[in-house]
Amino acid sequence: MPETKNLSYAESVNAALRRALAERPEALLFGEDVAAPGGVFGVTKGLRKEFGDRVFDTPISESAILGGAVGAAMFGRRPIAEIMWADFSLVALDQLVNQAANVRYVSRGSLSAPLTVRTQQGNAPGACAQHSQSLEAFFAHVPGLRVCLPATHQDAYDLLLSAIWCDDPVIVIENRTLYHAGKQQVRLGGDVQPVGGAAVRRPGRDVTVLTWGALQHRVLEAADRLAGDGIEAEVLDARWVRPLDLAAVLASVRRTGRLVVAHEAHTVGGVGGEVLAAVAEAGLPLRCPPVRIGAPDTRIPAAPGLAAAVIPSTEVIAEAITKSVRA
Amino acid sequence: MPETAALLAHLESMRRIRSFEEEVTRLRATGEVVGSVHLCNGQEAIYVGACAALDLSRDAVFPTYRGHGWTLACGAPPHALFAELLGRATGINGGRGGSAYLSAPEYGMYGENSIVGAGAPIAAGAALAATFDGSGRVALAAFGDGAMNQGAVHEAMNFAAVRALPVIFLVENNHYSELTPIADMVRVDRLFKRASAYGMPGARIDGNDPEAVRQAVAEAVRRARSGAGPVLLEAMTQRIVGHYIGDAQHYRPSGDLDAALAAEPIGRLGRDLLGLGVAQSELDELEARVAREIADASARALADPVADPTTVLEHLYA
């Protein structure tokens, strides 16, 4: 029976993991410092005690973690592997891109790797260049993988469960700036949702703003601010960048005639460009050129003041939306 | 001393692999097989010996490159392999795997890898699953000497040792990591010594003697099934062909190939069997029987329809 609890984003992830471990005896949870320490962000607290050896710590060996997940998944387990920071996944990208994503295809479905990778990304004040990147486009580029970025407490719970229940390899990219940013009412229990599907976070008639991940909160702030100026932005949370809910984007853009895509990742080669291309290919009549907002083509600096100049701010987003509507 | 019948079975299995590779060489020359193909001629004793020690109804083999021999030794039909290499719809992976990325899980072969050493952590994962599912499964990760310098292999060995996973790490040491002598790439004279760095046993074995391989792998399997954890075996062998079809092997010093040919396992076991009193005619019959089987499998595969391009998008997601 569904129940509602007041939880932080981190506690929502924890609740999803607890439910998965309880309902799926084949589920395993492992990664660096996830068991006895409870995770460096406290996300996996208490799970080792409750589920014993199905929750375990690994060496600092991303290839072993992800390759181990591929092998265990091929043999009926439901591994949930934590990669502490998304940047660290690059150490073992082979196991995701060359291995996990290929297993089902090349074996014509006689093998599969239903694993879930939990990681977190994004910039937070003081984080260095190797702990700040937004890498969803890397993963979204790979056929065979599925990628989601929960931006709300409820989605932190729901999307993770969808990922674990999914029979394909899924990467869940959380955001550490959200982990302990406050509590919200989260509905626990209930049906596990299928993979995919965008969500309208704020309805509006003037412009569609597609976003995902932590940047969504700045987008909503900008949209609220602009409402005072008579601009009603529709904020659409992609939630999944693969599969991307293009139908939802097109339906919204058909109504508004304008599109702004806002993400924290670099614009060059990013998912935003892919969305703009798809909208262009669909031949929708736009009232103004579509816009991408993202980090400029540079590395991410450590100093908070410098980083702030790179990550799109509420002001930058508001300005881009305004320009788009007034164009 | 093993029974002559067992040795004859090893010989037949090795001869099947050799004949398969010889036919692939012919099909590559005629252009029927395209692309990069890595043959395993000379290394057959490792596959045949190891597979004889495994219970392939539950155990799992994860080879790296030169996978035709592993796949055949696991029991996959030559016809389905030829068809795979020829891009036929009847291929064991429907033309999606090809020479360097074969899989045949129904025969215990869970995926060759064409990323050197990448199968080692996956094998560890298969073994990890076994520690939870009570299957008693042992996973065997096979890779060349060159893979011993891959990070993924070291991560897998440490992970497996730490968790006492039922994995056998089997190095096919043919002395060349692709085109470069392994001796130029490591400063230890025996690769199995690295096992001690991870707290697991290691041993060097005669990789040109299928019975020696069978015994060593059988002992490792027994140990792994008992919960005592992984083992690293270094099977010494030689390639009697290039790294890939078309490799002229200019890098091999004079005499190197001749020595390899003199020691290769099929001729060696044939000579041993003659010494045990088996008649030459019996060996000739065995060879002719296997040759017919391979020729027939190849001809049938060539006559099969090519894989249907309209199915190319299938099987990407569940």
Side-chain angles (χ1 to χ4, degrees):
Chain A
M1 270 289 109
E3 54 167 336
T4 299
K5 273 192 181 171
N6 202 35
L7 300 175
S8 70
Y9 181 102
E11 288 165 343
S12 306
V13 175
N14 185 279
L17 292 170
R18 174 171 285 105
R19 176 174 168 188
L21 286 159
E23 291 185 11
R24 305 289 300 248
E26 72 276 28
L28 303 175
L29 174 64
F30 54 90
E32 296 157 10
D33 304 324
V34 302
V40 288
F41 305 103
V43 174
T44 53
K45 251 192 304 200
L47 298 174
R48 168 73 181 199
K49 208 169 163 195
E50 196 168 335
F51 297 100
D53 200 40
R54 287 167 62 210
V55 178
F56 61 89
D57 293 314
T58 65
I60 302 177
S61 303
E62 281 78 9
S63 289
I65 295 168
L66 294 176
V70 171
M74 285 166 72
F75 285 87
R77 299 298 102 186
R78 285 273 154 167
I80 307 157
E82 177 175 313
I83 296 296
M84 197 186 283
W85 298 67
D87 315 69
F88 304 169
S89 67
L90 305 183
V91 175
L93 215 47
D94 173 62
Q95 290 296 341
L96 294 173
V97 178
N98 287 318
Q99 312 299 335
N102 262 320
V103 165
R104 177 182 293 280
Y105 185 75
V106 299
S107 69
R108 283 191 299 180
S110 64
L111 293 170
S112 63
L115 59 90
T116 300
V117 179
R118 276 188 52 245
T119 191
Q120 56 79 25
Q121 72 175 23
N123 181 256
C128 76
Q130 293 165 340
H131 290 65
S132 289
Q133 299 169 96
S134 292
L135 300 177
E136 65 268 25
F138 277 49
F139 301 117
H141 187 66
V142 180
L145 298 183
R146 299 183 181 278
V147 187
C148 65
L149 297 96
T152 68
H153 293 40
Q154 186 66 54
D155 269 1
Y157 178 82
D158 288 337
L159 301 193
L160 178 53
L161 287 172
S162 303
I164 297 167
W165 260 248
C166 177
D167 289 333
D168 298 312
V170 184
I171 300 160
V172 181
I173 303 175
E174 298 159 7
N175 193 292
R176 74 185 167 287
T177 62
L178 302 177
Y179 278 143
H180 304 292
K183 301 205 176 203
Q184 287 177 11
Q185 291 294 313
V186 178
R187 199 178 52 259
L188 307 177
D191 293 342
V192 173
Q193 301 164 14
V195 158
V200 177
R201 298 298 183 201
R202 182 187 194 287
R205 59 173 190 272
D206 296 325
V207 55
T208 299
V209 188
L210 179 72
T211 186
W212 53 85
L215 201 64
Q216 178 179 147
H217 301 283
R218 288 184 183 173
V219 170
L220 285 167
E221 211 178 288
D224 285 346
R225 216 179 274 179
L226 292 173
D229 302 339
I231 295 174
E232 289 297 333
E234 176 148 295
V235 178
L236 197 56
D237 178 359
R239 300 163 87 230
W240 295 83
V241 292
R242 194 183 252 267
L244 188 69
D245 187 354
L246 199 56
V249 177
L250 295 180
S252 177
V253 173
R254 262 190 206 102
R255 277 197 310 276
T256 64
R258 298 184 178 92
L259 173 64
V260 174
V261 183
H263 54 59
E264 193 173 323
H266 307 288
T267 50
V268 176
V271 177
E274 178 59 31
V275 175
L276 262 56
V279 168
E281 282 169 353
L284 259 51
L286 294 176
R287 293 196 271 174
C288 68
V291 179
R292 279 180 296 174
I293 305 170
D297 198 18
T298 182
R299 308 306 308 167
I300 309 292
L306 291 176
V310 172
I311 309 302
S313 64
T314 305
E315 289 69 32
V316 163
I317 296 163
E319 197 182 324
I321 295 172
T322 307
K323 253 174 84 179
S324 176
V325 174
R326 302 261 152 90
Chain B
M1 196 66 203
E3 288 179 20
T4 306
L7 295 178
L8 278 166
H10 288 331
L11 185 69
E12 177 164 340
S13 194
M14 291 198 295
R15 188 63 241 182
R16 181 174 295 110
I17 295 167
R18 181 75 57 86
S19 297
F20 183 91
E21 297 293 59
E22 287 166 352
E23 176 65 4
V24 171
T25 308
R26 193 187 71 76
L27 293 169
R28 185 69 176 74
T30 61
E32 298 279 0
V33 166
V34 294
S36 151
V37 178
H38 303 79
L39 303 176
C40 66
N41 308 41
Q43 304 185 192
E44 298 89 346
I46 299 172
Y47 320 136
V48 168
C51 288
L54 295 169
D55 170 4
L56 291 166
S57 67
R58 60 170 161 164
D59 294 334
V61 178
F62 295 85
T64 310
Y65 275 109
R66 307 191 198 293
H68 307 169
W70 277 110
T71 313
L72 289 166
C74 285
H79 163 258
L81 255 68
F82 278 130
E84 182 64 23
L85 269 53
L86 291 162
R88 299 307 203 258
T90 50
I92 203 153
N93 302 124
R96 285 166 158 75
S99 171
Y101 197 16
L102 293 166
S103 58
E106 60 277 38
Y107 298 99
M109 215 294 274
Y110 278 84
E112 186 186 11
N113 221 299
S114 57
I115 304 294
V116 169
I122 301 174
L128 174 69
T131 65
F132 288 97
D133 65 20
S135 63
R137 175 189 317 108
V138 169
L140 183 144
F143 40 81
D145 41 276
M148 283 296 281
N149 295 328
Q150 272 284 11
V153 172
H154 291 271
E155 292 192 14
M157 290 195 291
N158 183 60
F159 182 61
V162 162
R163 298 198 62 80
L165 300 178
V167 192
I168 300 166
F169 297 103
L170 177 59
V171 185
E172 305 170 35
N173 187 345
N174 65 17
H175 303 277
Y176 288 95
S177 56
E178 302 188 357
L179 314 183
T180 301
I182 187 65
D184 292 352
M185 293 294 128
V186 294
R187 285 290 170 264
V188 287
D189 56 345
R190 286 155 191 266
L191 298 174
F192 77 84
K193 285 182 182 171
R194 289 183 176 178
S196 65
Y198 300 108
M200 64 177 163
R204 175 174 270 195
I205 60 175
D206 183 348
N208 278 2
D209 177 352
E211 195 48 31
V213 175
R214 188 193 65 76
Q215 285 172 17
V217 173
E219 173 55 24
V221 166
R222 189 201 57 71
R223 190 175 182 283
R225 282 208 224 285
S226 78
V231 169
L232 174 63
L233 297 175
E234 179 185 14
M236 303 307 293
T237 186
Q238 286 108 25
R239 262 183 5 224
I240 57 172
V241 291
H243 171 58
Y244 51 87
I245 294 182
D247 170 12
Q249 306 187 74
H250 295 309
Y251 50 87
R252 286 181 93 155
S254 72
D256 185 58
L257 192 55
D258 290 336
L261 284 164
E264 66 83 22
I266 293 179
R268 172 174 153 186
L269 184 54
R271 290 190 296 276
D272 287 353
L273 282 162
L274 290 175
L276 288 169
V278 174
Q280 181 66 50
S281 60
E282 191 174 346
L283 299 185
D284 293 345
E285 256 171 54
L286 179 153
E287 181 153 350
R289 184 171 68 246
V290 171
R292 277 196 306 275
E293 177 195 340
I294 291 299
D296 173 63
S298 170
R300 282 199 294 132
L302 277 165
D304 284 344
V306 295
D308 178 1
T310 66
T311 67
V312 74
L313 299 182
E314 291 173 7
H315 302 297
L316 186 60
Y317 292 106

